[in-house]
Amino acid sequence: MDEPAQIGRRVQRMRTELGLTQRKLAEPSYTPAYISTLESGKVRPSEAALRFLAGRLGTSYEELATGRPARLATELRLALTDAQQLLAAGAADEAAARYRGLLARAEHSDLADVCAEALLGLGDCALETGELPDAIRHFEAAERLLADEPLPRRARPIRGRAVAHLLAGELRYACYLLESTIDELGTSGLADPEALVLLYAAVIGPYIDMGAHARAAHAAEVALSLAPQVSDPALVAGMHRQVARTFLTEGRVADADASLAKAQAIYGQLRLRTDLAHCHWMRGYVQAQNGELGSAERELRTAREMLSAGRAALYTAQVEVELADVLRRLGRYEEAAELLSALLELGDSHGAVHAGGAHRLLGLMAEERGESESAEEHYVQALALLERSGATGDLADLCRLLGDLLRRAGRTEAALDAYRTGLGHRAAPGTTTLGPAPTSPAFPPRLTPR
């Protein structure tokens, strides 16, 4: 409720617009003197008084008490849904414009929950278009607005920040954000299934990139066990998409493809175009790993077309790394090199992991053409990028490639240094230099109906 002076001015304005005297407004429950005192801001009206006056003035209690039109919150929520549908259809720029307008209206009317949703939407749009600093800024602002809310309510902006840092190549910090939130949910007794599935699904990617395969498998196991308690189909689909990565690292290609098929079916039903593009991307990757290069190329090109149509520059560039690898393996070096060169022109905005992957592929192609000096240059650039990101598994493989190249050139000491670098970053299977893994959530046993 606003201050008495604001309410008083509002009552006076509405009364005057309707051509009512203070006596007409007051009757039969109050006196003209009470209305005069109220309009001057000298008394805080009770809820009963405001409801009576709202009825006389033809408005709502909420509008009289706060200045917000009665239907505004509902209208803004409908507009949020429209903006979310635009983003799901791949129109990130148009969705962002809608979210900015919504944010301005919600701020003007002091609707904090709508402000938070608009900021989350702006963060998702910025992720889509690759504007990672903007994404982090929007998610942090949403988190501040929700500071007094229970932790499960803050899981989405925290996850958003973690994804932005992951895409920027900051794997270790992304893990820290997600793991610390999972732990806090457990210790606070707020082990909300939807929040946990959101966080566990998000942490699978950085775990795999860092070589923490045992942690990734455990995160997938927890997410799958909680999925029956989750009502949001898009969240379940996203979980299946991430779980497919753990199946793939375990060599379970059929399970990975089945998991992706489940996600793809849900995204298709929901018409979530961007998420569907990610499924095509992941299926292409699975098929490439299984040696089905023709099918992989088709899936990756579909993903690339869908993402580029939505102006998702960051994700498009990352798909192009996978597509370039398939083209290289098909012997189409010029097409592959053209894709990778365009990606590297983006600079650091697309993250160290994928930039490192681009240099690695360019090095492989140079080596296969017999251009050892160029290959070494690309491998060294990839090494610097991957060391910065902490992508342990990719780093170990790269050091092996560089060491083998140097050894064949007769540079034995340099080769040994490269091998040692790779071994130094390779921890025991399933471990990293991260701290203890998050404690698994404890839920009371579910009763089985008789």
Side-chain angles (χ1 to χ4, degrees), residues 23 28 32 45-46 76 86 94-95 111 121 140 153 193 197 216 233 237 250 279 326 405 432:
R23 182 178 297 280
S46 66
L76 291 181
L86 281 172
E94 190 177 347
L111 291 168
E140 286 177 341
R153 182 81 171 85
V197 168
E250 296 168 357
C279 278
V326 169
L405 176 68
T432 68

Side-chain angles (χ1 to χ4, degrees), residues 47-90:
E47 181 180 338
L50 281 182
R51 290 194 182 279
F52 168 80
L53 294 174
R56 299 285 289 158
L57 293 167
T59 187
S60 67
Y61 165 78
E62 181 183 7
E63 184 168 4
L64 202 58
T66 66
R68 293 194 294 265
R71 294 190 297 247
L72 178 63
T74 302
E75 288 173 2
L76 291 181
R77 291 186 198 290
L78 289 171
L80 277 173
T81 301
D82 291 341
Q84 288 160 358
Q85 290 174 342
L86 281 172
L87 179 58

Side-chain angles (χ1 to χ4, degrees), residues 17-18 53 60 243 261 282 287 292 402:
E17 287 173 356
L18 290 172
L53 294 174
S60 67
V243 165
M282 192 64 195
Q287 290 164 350
E292 303 166 25
L402 178 58

Side-chain angles (χ1 to χ4, degrees), residues 340-411:
L340 295 170
S341 298
L343 183 148
L344 290 173
E345 286 175 6
L346 293 175
D348 289 339
S349 63
H350 54 292
V353 175
H354 287 83
H359 278 296
R360 174 186 173 277
L361 285 175
L362 288 168
L364 276 172
M365 289 190 290
E367 189 174 354
E368 290 164 359
R369 290 193 301 263
E371 301 168 2
S372 299
E373 189 174 328
S374 176
E376 181 181 349
E377 181 181 333
H378 282 298
Y379 287 154
V380 169
Q381 290 185 69
L383 183 62
L385 287 162
L386 293 176
E387 280 189 308
R388 188 177 80 196
S389 70
T392 308
D394 291 341
L395 190 58
D397 176 64
L398 180 66
C399 288
R400 178 187 59 78
L401 290 172
L402 178 58
D404 290 349
L405 176 68
L406 295 170
R407 179 174 53 79
R408 285 193 294 270
R411 296 161 60 188

